[in-house]
């Protein structure tokens, strides 16, 4: 039997408005430079939803979320002229619905 | 039901704190998962200007500060902290605060060197049984971290989740 890998969802907020779905590749490259190929391949982070101008959701493989949270602490620019910013990780959960419910968004 | 109560009690005890140069209101602090973010110049002053102070290890008044009752924390801003200084900090039961805001803008080898310095300093302080805390001491909005991120950075420096929690909770001495 083949099991589907479990996911973790991270709710994050940036200090300035940035569309991280559009800047997916730039964020991915920044994460890769901090996590390394092994860490990135293990976590496979992906921005799946932009909730508002600053808040977004990242999906990772279970077990890789801590590396992603740590890497997000060190990302201060995307290198594409988007300026400097900070990313704050607010909450993690095993489902998007629970994440939004717990954080009071929905 | 008991498990839920236990978890609630555990969550209540998770009181995380941070220190910043900027003003962070209660709502912002709560959204980042902190009970409080102390502002330098408001809730905490720099020695010798208040009742609850921090002092810098590199400053000339370090010896005077560490002996005073007002200075509750000593910021390790010179690496590596000398064993003599750590001994005094331990004797006077002060909290040694590791600032990490300055490493957040670093990249590549510069960042790796800074992390190695922090790890070495942590190991030396731990061997000497000094009370250790961690804070961002952020001087810009970009340098703020959430409590989850601060815990991960503390875990990276200390190598243990338990120690990391202690480090992030220890700033409650300033309450």
């Amino acid at each position: 039997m083949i099991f589907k890998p479990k996911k973790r969802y991270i709710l994050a907020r940036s200090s300035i408005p940035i569309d991280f779905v559009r800047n997916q590749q730039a964020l991915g490259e920044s994460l890769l430079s901090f996590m390394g190929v092994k860490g990135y391949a293990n976590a496979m982070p992906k921005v799946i939803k932009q909730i508002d101008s600053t808040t977004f959701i990242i999906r990772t493989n279970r077990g890789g979320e801590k590396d992603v949270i740590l890497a997000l602490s060190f990302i201060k620019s995307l290198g594409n002229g988007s300026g400097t910013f900070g990313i704050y990780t607010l909450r993690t959960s095993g489902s998007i619905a629970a994440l939004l419910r717990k954080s009071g968004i929905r | 039901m008991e498990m839920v109560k236990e978890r609630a009690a555990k969550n209540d005890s998770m009181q995380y704190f941070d220190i910043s140069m900027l003003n962070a209101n209660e709502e912002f602090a709560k959204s980042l998962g902190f009970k409080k973010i102390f502002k330098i110049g408001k809730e905490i002053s720099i020695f010798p200007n208040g009742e609850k102070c921090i002092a810098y290890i590199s400053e000339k008044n370090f010896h005077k500060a560490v002996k005073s009752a007002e200075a509750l924390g000593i910021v390790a801003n010179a690496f590596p902290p000398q064993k003599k200084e750590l001994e005094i900090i331990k004797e006077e039961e002060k909290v040694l605060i590791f600032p990490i805001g300055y490493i957040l803008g670093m990249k590549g080898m510069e960042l790796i060197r800074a992390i190695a310095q922090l790890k070495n300093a942590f190991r030396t302080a731990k061997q000497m049984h000094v009370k250790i805390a961690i804070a961002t001491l952020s001087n810009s909005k970009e340098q703020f971290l959430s409590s989850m991120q601060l815990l991960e950075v503390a875990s990276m420096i200390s190598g243990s989740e338990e120690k990391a929690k202690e480090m992030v909770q220890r700033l409650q001495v300033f309450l």
Side-chain angles (χ1 to χ4, degrees):
Chain A
M1 189 182 278
I2 299 167
F3 291 102
K4 196 178 161 194
K6 289 205 173 186
K7 302 289 181 186
R8 294 290 287 174
Y9 298 89
I10 303 168
L11 183 71
R13 197 170 67 205
S14 64
S15 61
I16 59 168
I18 297 176
D19 189 339
F20 283 98
V21 176
R22 281 190 181 177
N23 289 292
Q24 178 90 251
Q25 198 173 346
L27 182 68
E29 279 167 15
S30 299
L31 283 169
L32 176 64
S33 74
F34 282 101
M35 297 168 71
V37 174
K38 188 170 172 267
Y40 192 92
N42 187 32
M44 291 304 288
K46 187 175 195 280
V47 180
I48 54 159
K49 195 172 184 178
Q50 184 82 31
I51 294 169
D52 58 35
S53 59
T54 55
T55 317
F56 58 101
I57 297 175
I58 299 175
R59 184 184 66 202
T60 76
N61 288 339
R62 199 172 73 169
E65 70 269 19
K66 288 188 172 183
D67 289 344
V68 176
I69 290 168
L70 184 62
L72 288 172
S73 310
F74 292 96
I75 294 175
K76 300 294 166 202
S77 72
L78 295 176
N80 58 2
S82 56
T84 55
F85 56 85
I87 299 176
Y88 321 126
T89 57
L90 308 177
R91 195 175 277 277
T92 62
S93 184
S95 74
I96 299 173
L99 187 69
L100 297 176
R101 193 179 61 242
K102 283 179 194 170
S103 51
I105 292 173
R106 198 180 289 165
Chain B
M1 193 65 187
E2 268 184 27
M3 265 180 70
V4 174
K5 277 182 185 173
E6 264 177 38
R7 198 178 290 171
K10 204 177 173 187
N11 284 340
D12 283 346
S13 68
M14 299 289 177
Q15 297 183 333
Y16 301 130
F17 301 90
D18 192 13
I19 302 175
S20 171
M21 306 278 185
L22 303 177
N23 199 15
N25 62 31
E26 202 176 323
E27 195 186 341
F28 180 67
K30 285 227 166 106
S31 74
L32 296 187
F34 292 106
K35 189 174 182 196
K36 194 169 182 62
I37 299 177
F38 300 107
K39 183 187 182 291
I40 294 180
K42 197 176 168 190
E43 289 99 357
I44 296 179
S45 6
I46 294 175
F47 185 81
N49 299 318
E51 285 178 9
K52 290 176 181 175
C53 299
I54 53 168
Y56 289 89
I57 215 164
S58 63
E59 293 291 320
K60 282 178 186 171
N61 64 7
F62 163 73
H63 288 277
K64 199 176 168 188
V66 83
K67 299 269 182 196
S68 77
E70 292 86 31
L72 304 174
I74 306 292
V75 179
N77 63 333
F79 289 99
Q82 302 300 308
K83 284 198 173 179
K84 270 185 184 177
E85 291 163 346
L86 292 176
E87 267 171 21
I88 304 170
I89 293 169
K90 199 223 161 196
E91 273 170 26
E92 299 296 328
E93 295 185 342
K94 305 292 182 198
V95 176
L96 181 68
I97 303 166
F98 283 115
I100 54 138
Y102 76 100
I103 69 165
L104 297 177
M106 293 180 180
K107 278 183 178 176
M109 286 311 289
E110 188 190 15
L111 176 63
I112 290 167
R113 272 188 218 108
I115 292 170
Q117 266 185 343
L118 281 168
K119 279 185 168 185
N120 283 335
F122 173 83
R123 199 172 52 240
T124 315
K126 192 185 155 200
Q127 279 168 355
M128 300 184 75
H129 305 287
V130 175
K131 290 179 192 168
I132 308 163
I134 192 166
T136 55
L137 291 179
S138 48
N139 55 21
S140 68
K141 225 177 173 188
E142 292 85 47
Q143 286 187 355
F144 277 112
L145 290 182
S146 69
S147 60
M148 284 165 72
Q149 288 170 305
L150 199 56
L151 275 170
E152 289 307 323
V153 175
S155 287
M156 177 182 68
I157 292 166
S158 66
S160 129
E161 279 185 27
E162 206 178 310
K163 281 266 173 245
K165 276 182 188 168
E166 277 177 26
M167 285 165 80
V168 186
Q169 289 177 332
R170 191 151 275 149
L171 291 174
Q172 62 184 316
V173 293
F174 289 101
L175 270 181

